Amino acid sequence: MSLYFALKIIHILSGAVLFGTGAGIAFFMLRAHATRDARTVAEVGRIVVLADFVFTASAVVVQPISGLGLIHLQGWSLTSPWLLAAYGLYVFVGVCWLPVVWIQYRMMKLAEQAAGQGAALPPAYHRLFRWWFALGWPAFAGVLAIYWLMVAKPEF
């Protein structure tokens, strides 16, 4: 197996993990939120926070490393317009994702407190949920745009 092939497989799989974990986390958080049950939100929140750290964070590290290797092996200029657009989108997605990680953790903690008291989810949880939801959409769109750039490699 060539280095190029190995890096390409790693890059594609880490991209799939990044996208798939993000979509899965969003689905499970939305489903838990829809129950309005603090205990359910807390339990799902613990799983989601763990998944984000184990899978998403790992893929976030692997993506640029494998991508830079592929760029080098294919002879692309680091300043090719499609790559500059991909870098910008990657940073944009990260700017959306980093607060989401903190927000998910806070939502989980608020749900745990409410569940421990037998109370409803507090207003602070619902405010955080709105931010979490609002930041998720542009991040999701950004990842889709990066996929398009990687496949199409437009010349602009």
Side-chain angles (χ1 to χ4, degrees), residues 49-97:
V49 167
L50 177 62
D52 236 351
F53 280 108
V54 172
F55 298 107
T56 310
S58 300
V60 164
V61 171
V62 170
Q63 277 289 284
I65 294 168
S66 59
L68 287 171
L70 287 169
I71 290 165
H72 174 72
L73 290 174
Q74 292 178 90
W76 285 97
S77 167
L78 288 171
T79 58
S80 296
W82 74 271
L83 285 170
L84 293 175
Y87 306 150
L89 284 167
Y90 195 76
V91 169
F92 172 75
V93 169
V95 166
C96 292
W97 176 68

Side-chain angles (χ1 to χ4, degrees), residues 35-140:
T35 69
R36 304 285 190 225
D37 178 61
R39 193 171 42 150
T40 300
V41 171
E43 289 173 10
V44 171
R46 281 190 289 277
I47 295 165
V48 160
V49 167
L50 177 62
D52 236 351
F53 280 108
V54 172
F55 298 107
T56 310
S58 300
V60 164
V61 171
V62 170
Q63 277 289 284
I65 294 168
S66 59
L68 287 171
L70 287 169
I71 290 165
H72 174 72
L73 290 174
Q74 292 178 90
W76 285 97
S77 167
L78 288 171
T79 58
S80 296
W82 74 271
L83 285 170
L84 293 175
Y87 306 150
L89 284 167
Y90 195 76
V91 169
F92 172 75
V93 169
V95 166
C96 292
W97 176 68
L98 285 173
V100 162
V101 172
W102 178 82
I103 289 168
Q104 287 172 172
Y105 179 78
R106 287 296 305 136
M107 288 167 54
M108 175 196 71
K109 286 300 190 185
L110 289 168
E112 285 175 345
Q113 289 171 351
Q117 298 167 356
L121 293 165
Y125 165 87
H126 292 286
R127 278 191 301 278
L128 287 170
F129 177 82
R130 287 190 295 277
W131 276 106
W132 176 85
F133 190 81
L135 288 167
W137 284 107
F140 182 77

